[in-house]
Amino acid sequence: MATTTWTRRHILSLADFAPTEYDTVLQTAASFREVLSRRTKKVPTLQGQMVANLFFEPSTRTRSSFELAAKRLSADVLNFTPGTSSLTKGETILDTAKTYLAMGTDMMVIRHREAGVPQAIAFEMDRLGVRVGVLNAGDGQHEHPSQGLLDLFTICSLIDVEHPRLELLVGKKIAIVGDILHSRVARSNIWSLTATGAKVHLAGPPTLVPQLFAQSVTGRPGELFIHWEVEPALKDADFVMTLRLQKERMTAHLLPSLREYHQRYGITRDRLKLCHPDVKVLHPGPVNRGVEITSDLMDDPQFSLISQQVTSGVAVRMALLYLMGSGKT
Ligand code: NCD
C-alpha cells in the first residue's frame, strides 16, 4: 500500500483537492484493484471500524459500491434507509447522524438531495470534537467527489494501468455532454480534469449548459470550453462522458422533447466518428437508454467504459475509506 501523509478528514468536494491528493488516491486505488483481483478479496485494514451509509436519496451503484468497499476492508457497515427510519417521525438529519455517532461510527458516507448536507454534518462532527470522517456521496447539484475520482481512475488506468496518475491527462480532450446544469458528477469531474492540463469541452442545450461554468476554472492548469452543439466538443475527443438527463431535477421545461434531445446531442456511432479513433465513452449511470446514448453503444466494449467505471468504483472507494480511516488506527 502506498505510504502517505493524508491529512484530509472529510471528503466533501474536489474543488480544493491538491495534485498530490489525486495521485495518492489513484495510487492507493491501484493497490486495492490488485487486492480485488485476488482469490480472497478482503484485507483487515479497517477491522473494528464502523462505516455508516446514510443515503437520504435513492442510489444503486454508489451505495452498493461503498458498502462493498467497506466490507472488503473488513469494516462493519450500517445501512440507513430513509423510508423505514425515524425521519418519517420527524427526526432531523443531524439527530440521525448523532444517533449513528453514538453507536460508534467512525466514517459517515452521506447522500442527500440538498446541496450542503454532508458539509453540515461534517461541521457538526468537528464541533462535537469527534474524529468522524464524512464522505460526500452526492449532494443535490453540488458535488459527487467519489464519482469524479473513479472516473479519473478509469481514464488514467486506461492510459497507464500500472501507474494511473494525474499527469497522464495533460493535453487530453474530454467532452462532457448532456445535463451539466443539474449534474454534481459534472461539477466534480470539472475540478479533477482541470487539475492538470486536460481540455474539457462541455456540450448540451443552452438551457442545460450555462456559460458561467467557463469562469469556474480560471487559473487552473486545464482549460474549459462551452458548446451548445455537440459536434465541436466531439471533434478529436479522447474521452466522451455522457450524463443522464436528470428529469427529477428539472423544474421548468428546459427541453423540447427527449427525442429531439437525442437527435441533437445523443451519442451515436456516427457522431463518435468525429472523435479520436480510440475514443472511449463513460457514463456514471443510471442511463436513459436511447436518450443520451444509443443502447447498442452503451453495451459495446470497444467504446464503452461503463462497466469498468463500476468496477473501478469499489477500488477507489476502498482507497478513500482507507485514507480517511488510516489516521484512526
Ligand atoms: C449519479 C448521481 O446520482 O449523481 N449517479 C451515480 O452516482 N452513479 C448521476 C445521476 O444520477 O445521473
Side-chain angles (χ1 to χ4, degrees), residues 244-274:
R244 187 172 66 88
L245 285 182
Q246 306 212 0
K247 286 173 267 178
E248 76 278 17
R249 293 190 211 282
M250 290 189 193
T251 47
H253 295 285
L254 299 173
L255 284 174
S257 73
L258 294 183
R259 201 160 146 249
E260 194 171 320
Y261 175 85
H262 181 71
Q263 267 166 11
R264 294 199 55 186
Y265 301 99
I267 303 302
T268 61
R269 277 180 200 278
D270 258 0
R271 290 213 164 107
L272 277 194
K273 289 183 189 145
L274 295 166

Side-chain angles (χ1 to χ4, degrees), residues 34 46 58 145 167 190 194 218 223 227 236 262 264 282-283 290 298 315 324:
E34 189 276 315
L46 293 188
E167 67 174 29
I190 289 169
T194 57
T218 311
E223 290 175 273
H227 307 277
D236 301 323
H262 181 71
R264 294 199 55 186
L282 297 100
H283 193 306
M298 181 185 160
M324 288 170 68

Side-chain angles (χ1 to χ4, degrees), residues 57 61-62 111 144 147 184-185 244 246 248 284-286:
E57 186 198 80
R61 343 120 244 240
T62 308
R111 166 168 290 197
H144 192 347
Q147 181 72 41
R184 52 197 176 205
V185 175
R244 187 172 66 88
Q246 306 212 0
E248 76 278 17

